[in-house]
Amino acid sequence: MVRNWVAALAVTGGIALGALAGPHVPGLAASNAEAGASATLADRVAIEDMVTRYYANFGRQDAAEDFGAFYTEDAVFDVNGIVSTGRKAIEGFYAASAEEADAPARLGTFHMMISNPVIDVNGDTATAEFMWTGVINTAIQDPPKLLEQGREYDLLVRQDGQWRIKKRVVIADSGLPERYMATYQPRTNYRVDAGE
């Protein structure tokens, strides 16, 4: 009788242990789905973090190379119709913009805020859309002033484990500097194409 009881206990324990530790096909399927969702979520966070760090360079007149580091070597950057192709040209665009008389960093303490992110990840490529708002602070006693606002549309690629901008289109909705008036188009229905 004791042997039967010990045998039954061993079988029950084995089944319980197997259920807890052994392969469980529905659990594996859920784990794979969860792993995929976690990877996509991690990519979305990494992209949003990258764009936030990019925007942290605004308000500095010496940030051309810092901006350039976020782009691929062959990137295309379209700001209100002025197009720069290649990282060096993009750095040149930022260096020239910093020298403009109406450059925000010359007007006071300038910050760019980004909001409304829409990020779609597909393996090693992604698209991202943001709204941006420029805020200028001219004196510590004065309230901040909205300087400009618009949209950006990005095509991103993963290179060497890091997300980089392959194509970026910036479209102002207000506060457009004079230098863009000849090339500006509102492009109200613009969307970035992942196949570009």
Side-chain angles (χ1 to χ4, degrees), residues 115-128:
S115 61
N116 300 16
V118 176
I119 302 168
D120 293 312
V121 178
N122 186 12
D124 288 335
T125 63
T127 58

Side-chain angles (χ1 to χ4, degrees), residues 118-152:
V118 176
I119 302 168
D120 293 312
V121 178
N122 186 12
D124 288 335
T125 63
T127 58
E129 301 176 12
F130 296 91
M131 185 167 57
W132 49 266
T133 304
V135 179
I136 192 76
N137 300 280
T138 54
I140 195 67
Q141 302 89 0
D142 294 341
K145 297 175 189 156
L146 297 180
L147 186 64
E148 57 188 359
Q149 190 172 57
R151 300 161 278 132
E152 90 167 62

Side-chain angles (χ1 to χ4, degrees), residues 44-58 67 70 112-115 117 119 130 152 154 165 168:
R44 288 177 49 90
V45 169
I47 290 167
E48 194 166 347
D49 183 65
M50 179 201 67
V51 173
T52 301
R53 290 175 188 279
Y54 178 95
Y55 272 86
N57 288 309
F58 282 99
F67 280 117
F70 290 91
M112 279 291 236
M113 299 182 298
I114 56 171
S115 61
I119 302 168
F130 296 91
E152 90 167 62
D154 298 331
I165 301 167
R168 183 167 184 249

Side-chain angles (χ1 to χ4, degrees), residues 63-181:
E65 287 183 20
D66 294 328
F67 280 117
F70 290 91
Y71 288 89
T72 62
E73 287 294 332
D74 61 345
V76 175
F77 183 35
D78 175 343
V79 182
N80 297 307
I82 296 176
V83 179
S84 303
T85 303
R87 183 182 291 165
K88 291 296 177 195
I90 293 166
E91 290 173 358
F93 170 85
Y94 274 114
S97 295
E99 298 303 317
E100 296 283 338
D102 62 350
R106 292 176 176 264
L107 306 175
T109 302
F110 180 73
H111 300 286
M112 279 291 236
M113 299 182 298
I114 56 171
S115 61
N116 300 16
V118 176
I119 302 168
D120 293 312
V121 178
N122 186 12
D124 288 335
T125 63
T127 58
E129 301 176 12
F130 296 91
M131 185 167 57
W132 49 266
T133 304
V135 179
I136 192 76
N137 300 280
T138 54
I140 195 67
Q141 302 89 0
D142 294 341
K145 297 175 189 156
L146 297 180
L147 186 64
E148 57 188 359
Q149 190 172 57
R151 300 161 278 132
E152 90 167 62
Y153 303 89
D154 298 331
L155 174 62
L156 304 122
V157 295
R158 188 187 338 250
Q159 290 184 338
D160 300 321
Q162 298 291 316
W163 287 101
R164 296 284 179 252
I165 301 167
K166 175 91 172 152
K167 181 177 183 182
R168 183 167 184 249
V169 177
V170 175
I171 305 166
D173 291 325
S174 65
L176 186 70
E178 183 63 35
R179 65 184 168 274
Y180 299 111
M181 291 304 292

